[in-house]
Amino acid sequence: MTETRTRSYSGETDRERTASDRTHEQETENETTRADEHTTTCPECDGSLITDTEHGETVCADCGLVVEADSVDRGPEWRAFDASERDSKSRVGAPTTNMMHDKGLSTNIGWQDKDAYGRSLSSSQREKMQRLRTWNERFRTRDSKERNLKQALGEIDRMASALGLPDNVRETASVIYRRALSENLLPGRSIEGVATASLYAAARQVGNPRSLDEFTAVARVDKMELTRTYRYVIRELGLRVQPADPESYVPRFVSKLDLSEETQRLARDLLDSAKSAGITSGKSPVGLAASAVYAAALLSNEKVTQSQVSDVADISEVTIRNRYKELLETSEEIAA
């Protein structure tokens, strides 16, 4: 009698456990379904959600609500349709860059004479590593074209650092120089001249220009060679370089003179008035920008001299005196 009761009790327990498991599974499925509904419909208007892979956002197609931001794309930006294509596109390591002659795909041997644990190498190991560095450097530049490219890209990086130009300008200059080298434009011209001309053209293309005098101060070529090589490069490569906008110089001049935001805004307004009146044609954009900054400083009652503006912009004080009067007169005429 006791055994029967025990088996009956055990049977009821099994049935209860089975029912409990089913209930738990059903609740889990319901939660998963609700979670899926939450991620596929808008919580505000129940509209459909779309994924913007470019900006990493999930947005409602009806009301525009951003449901998720800064999503992580765990897949590559390329697609492969067979094994060979997948192997050719697959990559690891740092991204390639045109700012290095080998596009950053080679291996560098560190200059520290230490092992992986930070211990100093013995004298024989140091000699061995030095020989490896020498041979590695020789193999990185196997022909004259690679040596030329290595020297030119190093020169571009040096000048860009001295002028405070960003990486996008350096990348563009590297591409321009590579094109000049591949189209055989270098015979008869110096590597430094073509490199400087490439950087000058890249700065103007990207919208972060510098004056010829600023380039001449950091370059290893004179101003005449720079201008001659620059015209030759843009003509042969068919580059479309727009005239420099005077407003692109204003923020840098204002920052160096430690002037206010109001002065920068007034300088831009003066240049806009001069453009609408058509008095900027044929005039140096650097001179116009410096004169606009000086005139704006006078209007905002900030203390700055023509000599200070002249030193920052690297132009003569006579140019500033002539231009700032024209800018003020034009602004007054338009306002009237």
Side-chain angles (χ1 to χ4, degrees):
M1 187 67 177
T2 306
E3 292 178 358
T4 305
R5 288 178 181 176
T6 303
R7 284 195 294 270
S8 176
Y9 179 77
S10 300
E12 291 176 359
T13 304
D14 292 339
R15 286 195 298 270
E16 289 175 358
R17 288 177 181 176
T18 303
S20 176
D21 292 341
R22 290 176 180 174
T23 305
H24 180 68
E25 290 176 359
Q26 187 175 3
E27 290 177 355
T28 305
E29 291 177 359
N30 293 335
E31 291 178 359
T32 304
T33 304
R34 287 195 296 268
D36 293 339
E37 291 177 355
H38 178 71
T39 56
T40 56
T41 59
C42 177
E44 295 290 336
C45 64
D46 293 332
S48 60
L49 299 180
I50 57 176
T51 302
D52 186 356
T53 57
E54 182 178 357
H55 299 90
E57 296 176 345
T58 302
V59 188
C60 176
D62 297 334
C63 66
L65 176 68
V66 179
V67 179
E68 183 181 1
D70 299 329
S71 60
V72 178
D73 184 7
R74 303 185 183 278
E77 79 284 0
W78 46 264
R79 293 189 301 169
F81 299 98
D82 53 26
S84 61
E85 188 176 3
R86 185 181 299 105
D87 293 338
S88 64
K89 290 184 177 182
S90 178
R91 62 182 184 271
V92 294
T96 59
T97 174
N98 287 305
M99 292 187 290
M100 300 181 68
H101 74 282
D102 52 10
K103 295 189 177 182
L105 297 177
S106 62
T107 301
N108 293 326
I109 301 177
W111 57 269
Q112 298 93 345
D113 291 327
K114 295 183 179 180
D115 60 9
Y117 298 99
R119 295 180 298 225
S120 298
L121 301 178
S122 62
S123 59
S124 60
Q125 289 175 328
R126 286 198 298 269
E127 292 177 0
K128 180 180 179 181
M129 295 305 298
Q130 185 59 37
R131 289 195 300 271
L132 289 175
R133 291 191 194 98
T134 302
W135 281 107
N136 181 60
E137 192 66 24
R138 291 175 181 174
F139 281 123
R140 287 184 63 187
T141 53
R142 288 170 291 183
D143 53 17
S144 60
K145 181 173 288 188
E146 288 191 3
R147 288 193 295 270
N148 182 316
L149 194 59
K150 181 180 179 181
Q151 180 181 349
L153 296 181
E155 186 72 7
I156 289 174
D157 187 66
R158 181 190 65 82
M159 291 186 293
S161 298
L163 294 171
L165 295 173
D167 287 343
N168 60 339
V169 178
R170 306 183 191 195
E171 192 85 21
T172 306
S174 302
V175 173
I176 293 175
Y177 188 88
R178 287 176 183 273
R179 286 188 56 193
L181 184 63
S182 63
E183 297 188 18
N184 203 26
L185 301 183
L186 267 72
R189 291 166 180 81
S190 65
I191 296 176
E192 291 81 4
V194 179
T196 309
S198 301
L199 185 61
Y200 180 71
R204 293 186 59 176
Q205 274 192 330
V206 174
N208 198 340
R210 297 291 189 272
S211 64
L212 286 171
D213 294 329
E214 290 178 284
F215 268 91
T216 306
V218 300
R220 292 193 172 99
V221 295
D222 56 15
K223 189 174 182 179
M224 183 176 295
E225 183 179 352
L226 170 58
T227 54
R228 185 169 57 246
T229 308
Y230 167 71
R231 294 193 187 98
Y232 173 75
V233 168
I234 62 173
R235 183 179 67 251
E236 294 297 324
L237 296 181
L239 301 177
R240 295 183 179 180
V241 181
Q242 298 294 331
D245 189 358
E247 291 188 16
S248 60
Y249 295 93
V250 170
R252 189 156 50 90
F253 293 165
V254 170
S255 177
K256 287 185 177 181
L257 292 169
D258 197 18
L259 300 176
S260 64
E261 184 69 24
E262 181 184 2
T263 300
Q264 181 174 337
R265 181 180 56 79
L266 289 174
R268 291 181 182 275
D269 293 341
L270 291 173
L271 290 174
D272 289 338
S273 301
K275 288 178 185 177
S276 60
I279 67 171
T280 59
S281 301
K283 295 182 175 62
S284 170
V286 179
L288 288 170
S291 303
V293 170
Y294 177 70
L298 295 180
L299 293 176
S300 58
N301 296 322
E302 292 199 65
K303 294 182 179 180
V304 64
T305 63
Q306 294 180 2
S307 176
Q308 292 174 326
V309 179
S310 174
D311 293 338
V312 168
D314 199 11
I315 59 173
S316 65
E317 297 180 23
V318 178
T319 303
I320 296 176
R321 282 195 292 271
N322 294 336
R323 295 288 179 268
Y324 97 89
K325 293 178 182 178
E326 295 177 1
L327 293 174
L328 290 177
E329 292 173 358
T330 304
S331 180
E332 291 175 357
E333 290 176 0
I334 294 178

